[in-house]
Every structure is written in structure tokens, then in C-alpha cells.
Amino acid sequence: MSSESRDNRTIRAAAADLVQRLRDAGHVAYFVGGCVRDRLLGIEPTEYDIATDAVPDEVRGVFPGARLVGESFGVMLVRSHGHVIEIATFRTEGSSSDHRHPDHVEFTNEHEDVKRRDFTINGMFEDPADGRVVDYVGGQDDLEARRLRAIGEPANRFVEDHLRMLRAVRFAARYDLEIDPPTADAIRDQAGSLSGVSSERVGQEVRRMCTGGLLVRAVDLLAALELDVAILGDAATHGGMSRCAHLDDVDPSPSPNRFEPALAAWLLDRYGVDAVDGSRCEGVGDRLVCSNQERARLESIVKAHRMISFEWEEMDIARRKRLASSPVFKDALCLFAADHAAQVEAIEHEVKRLAATPSGLAPAPLVMGQHLIEAGLNPGPGFGDVLDAIYDAQLEDRLTTRSEGVALGLEMSNSG
Ligand code: ATP
Ligand code: MG
């Protein structure tokens, strides 16, 4: 048994224990939402949410350590056996003038609570004591039919919160569901309103789409529902999906590491290799509120992909070794492989050959700045170029000792 599934069992037991303690205190309580959906799909949930008729003060009466997330929303965090579990009071939500937060909420029963939830597959309760599913919205039928359907009147539900349009795509892609036609129509009608949703929230949803589920499905749905332009700014100029599809093939499991490669695949498929450069990456980084680290990785992947596409054949040994040892080489090569399987085989063969040379692919530099300074060189303009040239010579096995490297450095600085 993996430690992961052991952990998941523990969180389930910890959450079930909280439900039981609420019931012992005379309240109604259930598992709700994603954990119910995932269990029905045979996926071990990693998160558990509890819904109850206990109002926040009553929840705190049962769990004195409970921490309020937002008083008006009645959501509390409770720690149990090392896990943090969310307990939310059954509530109705009024209309939303900012299309995000309800103007007011009222505590209510489970029947009414379901109506504020987004999709039927996310609107089911489960009794942890016996595994019974309490389903007022036909979520089980929809799961069986692999259908994503809004709870209630789709148009109203997307007006209340435009982000739900992206959540629809994310869940459809993650679980390979068809979006029910009335739900899809409502999304298409309101797609333009996505531009009013904060970039942080859109970025977060796109990040989640890229890191779990079928990328091709997500990208395809975003285009079909006309949500893509509001996300990326420009209309597509290419029709291909080959890189996204290839990424789904070779790397189908959800992983946070997939964000930048997936984003690169999407951009390259959508705009073509020539049109995806540093400034486009920067623009997308801004739109999706990416971290500096995410931006740097996206740009590096795109740059390495460009070098593999257009420069590899002409590169000397040192440049090939530098590229092949870059942390994003594997990601870039994977994207290139989508349309150039035979060339990739040749490149991989060449990389193996380079790795078997005496110096290997990425040896520790024989000569560092301090060695040149000790030999009397002044660190000034051109110093870095001298160091690079010495390292290139090392990579090409033109020198094998530090003194040879220092001698080359002195020679260069005298002639330069
Ligand atoms: P995931 O596995 O992605 O966490 P989830 O279903 O648990 O999926 P959450 O975003 O964690 O999704 O939300 C928990 C539950 O709260 C959902 O199942 C849904 O019932 C409800 N919910 C969350 N966000 C919204 C929203 N924007 N509109 C309506 N209901 C929502
Ligand atoms: Mg969740």
C-alpha cells in the first residue's frame, strides 16, 4: 500500500469522526461535494468537506478549536487527527451584484444548501456511517451518464458567478464528461463576461486545468465555448492540438509540475512556433498572474523548444551539451516530439553519445572566476565570456585540467 492511500484513509476516518461528533451533539451532518463525487468515481478523495445544520457558534461548541473562514458564509476549519477539514453550515445564497460573492446568505437545511452549489456531480451528500448517498439533484445519474449539468437554471447560475464557466470546463476535462447542452449554451452566451472575472481566479482555474485532467479536452472545450480569447487575449491563429495531445499521452497523471509544459503546449499549438516568443510568454504570465518562477520556466521551455526546432542541427558540441543539460530540455523535447518523432529519436541518440564523452554532459567547471583572478586576470567586462569559452573547451574535451583552462583564459585576455 502506498503511503498516499494510507494518508487518504486517515483523512476519511478523521472527517467521519467529525460528522459523528456533530451528530452526537444533535445536528445533521454529511460529507458533501467533491469527496462524494470522487468516491462514486472510484477516486480516493484527498479533501473532505462537511456540511451541517449547526451554525458556526454551535460548531464551535462541539469543536472549541474551530477557526472561522468567513462569518457571513458559515465556513469553519477544524483540525482532526492532523488533517484540516472544512465544515460549512447549510446555507442559501442571495443574488450576487459582483458576480462572485453573494450579497447575503441565510442558514438553512440541506435541501436548500444544494441549490447554491454549481453542478449536480458536486451537489451530493454522503452519510459516512453507511456510505449512503443523499442526492436531490440527480448527480448520480449524471455521473453515470458522464454528464456535467448545472444545478437549477444554467443561465442564472453563471450570472451569479462567471467563474463557474471555467469550473465546468475543468470538471468536464478532468472526468471526461460531456457538458449538458443547456449548460453549454448558457456558458457560450455568457463567455464574454469571463473578462470581468479577476485574473487571479482565472489563472488559478487554468492552472488547475493544466495540472489535472485531459489537456486536449480542456483546450477544445475552452475554444468550443468561446472562453479561450478572454483567457489568452488573442484569437487562435493555428488549428493544431498535437502538442497538447502528446502531453496527455506521455504525462496523463495530475501533477503540479505540468503547468508550464501544458501552457507552453497550448500556446505553441494555438499560435505556432514562430509566434510564441518571450513577449507572448510575458503577456500570458501577466494575464494568468503567474509567479516569477512559473514565468521563468514557461519562457525557458519555449526558448529550448525553439532552439531544438531551429538550431539543433547547426549547434556545436558545447551548445548541444548546454541545452541538453538544461532543466527544461526534457519538457521542450517532449513538445517537439509531438510532430517530430523521428528527429527526437536522433536527438536522444546524440545526447546519449554526448553524455558518454570524457567530460560528460554537464561537468563541474574546472575553472571558476577565482582561479582566473589568482592567475592575475581582472574581473571586468568580458570576464564572463572568458569563463564561458573555457567551459566550452572543457565540454568539447579540448582541455582536461584546470591549468590548461587557466592558460586558455590568460591567452584569451592577452589577445583580446
Ligand atoms: P476539487 O476536487 O477540484 O477540489 P471540489 O468539488 O471539491 O473539487 P471545491 O472548489 O473544493 O471543488 O468546492 C467544494 C464544493 O463547493 C464543490 O463541490 C461545490 O459543491 C461547491 N462550490 C465550490 N465553488 C463553487 C462555486 N464557484 N459555485 C458554486 N458552488 C461551488
Ligand atoms: Mg475540493
Side-chain angles (χ1 to χ4, degrees):
M1 187 198 318
S2 72
S3 62
E4 214 174 29
S5 64
R6 212 163 31 235
D7 266 343
N8 291 345
R9 274 242 275 282
T10 315
I11 187 173
R12 184 177 177 86
D17 182 48
L18 298 185
V19 168
Q20 193 52 51
R21 283 159 68 189
L22 285 165
R23 289 179 174 181
D24 290 346
H27 300 292
V28 177
Y30 291 109
F31 289 165
V32 68
C35 62
V36 182
R37 173 199 68 215
D38 284 353
R39 191 184 66 99
L40 289 171
L41 286 167
I43 300 166
E44 184 90 60
T46 53
E47 264 182 18
Y48 279 81
D49 295 319
I50 292 171
T52 179
D53 68 348
V55 298
D57 274 348
E58 292 170 325
V59 172
R60 211 183 274 113
V62 182
F63 310 112
R67 208 157 46 80
L68 203 61
V69 184
E71 185 91 52
S72 56
F73 295 94
V75 179
M76 322 226 12
L77 295 178
V78 178
R79 188 168 266 285
S80 172
H81 303 281
H83 298 281
V84 176
I85 290 156
E86 209 176 279
I87 301 184
T89 307
F90 297 139
R91 63 182 192 264
T92 57
E93 292 180 348
S95 55
S96 169
S97 35
D98 67 358
H99 307 289
R100 174 176 178 187
H101 299 108
D103 296 333
H104 63 93
V105 307
E106 267 167 40
F107 297 139
T108 177
N109 56 29
E110 70 257 41
H111 238 101
E112 292 297 314
D113 179 83
V114 164
K115 295 184 190 161
R116 70 166 176 92
R117 297 180 181 273
D118 47 8
F119 305 108
T120 62
I121 62 164
N122 291 345
M124 293 177 277
F125 300 104
E126 178 188 335
D127 183 337
D130 56 11
R132 183 174 52 99
V133 173
V134 180
D135 178 7
Y136 299 116
V137 289
Q140 284 180 104
D141 285 349
D142 283 343
L143 261 192
E144 229 156 85
R146 304 209 76 82
R147 180 167 56 218
L148 186 95
R149 188 162 60 90
I151 292 173
E153 176 55 41
N156 297 342
R157 304 314 311 284
F158 295 118
V159 169
E160 286 164 10
D161 181 357
H162 296 312
L163 190 79
R164 287 176 190 154
M165 300 190 284
L166 289 190
R167 286 175 60 87
V169 170
R170 173 158 67 86
F171 290 118
R174 196 202 294 173
Y175 302 114
D176 201 12
L177 312 174
E178 290 300 323
I179 303 184
D180 197 41
T183 298
D185 290 346
I187 295 177
R188 217 176 278 108
D189 284 349
Q190 296 182 43
S193 305
L194 188 65
S195 52
V197 176
S198 82
S199 313
E200 282 84 1
R201 292 182 88 207
V202 171
Q204 205 49 40
E205 278 302 315
V206 171
R207 199 173 275 102
R208 293 170 84 173
M209 278 179 215
C210 287
T211 53
L214 291 171
L215 187 60
V216 163
R217 257 315 257 140
V219 165
D220 214 16
L221 278 170
L222 290 175
L225 297 171
E226 297 163 24
L227 294 162
D228 53 346
V229 177
I231 296 174
L232 290 179
D234 296 325
T237 52
H238 273 57
M241 298 271 271
S242 59
R243 298 176 190 89
C244 290
H246 187 67
L247 205 59
D248 281 337
D249 277 349
V250 298
D251 194 6
S253 50
S255 149
N257 234 352
R258 216 182 78 151
F259 176 50
E260 300 87 348
L263 199 51
W266 187 17
L267 295 176
L268 290 165
D269 279 350
R270 185 177 169 85
Y271 300 114
V273 184
D274 291 324
V276 182
D277 54 10
S279 77
R280 185 176 293 275
C281 291
E282 219 171 281
V284 169
D286 287 344
R287 293 189 83 88
L288 301 180
V289 198
C290 294
S291 69
N292 288 340
Q293 205 182 336
E294 288 168 339
R295 287 163 196 259
R297 185 157 177 242
L298 174 65
E299 264 192 58
S300 301
I301 292 172
V302 164
K303 190 171 167 210
H305 177 269
R306 180 183 284 265
M307 287 169 82
I308 293 169
S309 304
F310 301 128
E311 298 170 33
W312 179 265
E313 293 304 321
E314 277 72 49
M315 279 182 178
D316 56 28
I317 288 174
R319 288 191 71 211
R320 283 184 177 178
K321 283 188 174 183
R322 283 176 188 265
L323 180 57
S325 59
S326 119
V328 295
F329 181 69
K330 220 175 125 235
D331 295 315
L333 196 63
C334 172
L335 299 184
F336 184 67
D339 298 314
H340 303 92
Q343 270 163 279
V344 165
E345 212 172 289
I347 292 173
E348 280 172 340
H349 193 266
E350 166 71 352
V351 171
K352 261 197 204 128
R353 189 189 71 79
L354 294 173
T357 55
S359 56
L361 216 50
L366 288 166
V367 177
M368 315 271 267
Q370 83 209 47
H371 302 124
L372 294 183
I373 293 168
E374 281 162 16
L377 240 79
N378 285 327
F383 194 72
D385 293 343
V386 171
L387 277 170
D388 279 349
I390 298 171
Y391 190 59
D392 282 352
Q394 181 185 347
L395 289 173
E396 296 189 344
D397 295 302
R398 285 185 276 119
L399 53 85
T400 53
T401 65
R402 177 166 303 150
S403 51
E404 284 173 297
V406 170
L408 174 62
L410 289 173
E411 191 187 311
M412 283 183 72
S413 67
N414 287 336
S415 68

